[in-house]
Amino acid sequence: MPRKIAVYPGSFDPITFGHLDIINRGLRIFDKVVIAVASNSTKNALFTIEERIALIREVLAGNDRAKVDTFDGLLVDYVRSQQATVIIRGLRAVSDFEYEFQIAQMNRSITQDVETLFMMTSVPYSYLSSSIVKEVSSLHGPVDGLVPPLVKQALINKFSS
């Protein structure tokens, strides 16, 4: 029986408990979830791509059904290269939906072989974003409960220099 593989793309700068919630819920549906860190993101990254990948791998250590990788170029091309057929996207609010819907429609116009699965965030993470985490951390505010401890320490290290 073929394995069901999904790709969860993003900048993950840094990975949060909201991201991990989507990953873990995705793993209940799919045999494998590829966490695809975008290397061509237009966002101003705090962590290098190598640092983000290392943090995610450490957070997901021991979970052989979650693979961490990087990609650039068209997401649908990357998804097909992984023998996946589904893109997972997390939605926090209606404002997320409009943007994500446009991207999903564009991907669908490129190929009919890749579907987008929208997952509503769990309530405790409905306000959570990497941007908020970075802002709070830059002001030396508490990020406990928002990110795993090793990510918290990486943020402290970044903002203490």
Side-chain angles (χ1 to χ4, degrees), residues 27-51:
L27 286 168
R28 284 190 255 160
I29 301 167
F30 299 97
D31 299 315
K32 179 179 175 183
V33 173
V34 179
I35 298 86
V37 183
S39 64
N40 61 349
S41 175
T42 58
K43 298 179 181 181
N44 265 346
L46 174 64
F47 293 96
T48 67
I49 193 141
E50 294 81 13
E51 290 170 325

Side-chain angles (χ1 to χ4, degrees), residues 52-94:
R52 287 181 271 158
I53 289 169
L55 285 170
I56 298 167
R57 283 186 177 146
E58 195 168 342
V59 168
L60 295 173
N63 189 335
D64 61 347
R65 293 177 46 229
K67 173 187 170 187
V68 184
D69 197 10
T70 185
F71 78 100
D72 59 19
L74 286 175
L75 176 59
V76 291
D77 290 341
Y78 177 77
V79 170
R80 288 187 292 207
S81 78
Q82 297 300 302
Q83 284 106 31
T85 57
V86 175
I87 298 167
I88 298 174
R89 297 300 294 161
L91 297 176
R92 294 169 295 204
V94 173

Side-chain angles (χ1 to χ4, degrees), residues 100-113:
E100 294 294 345
F101 180 75
Q102 291 173 357
I103 300 300
Q105 291 296 83
M106 178 53 69
N107 288 338
R108 189 90 171 131
S109 74
I110 294 169
T111 181
Q112 301 285 308
D113 299 332

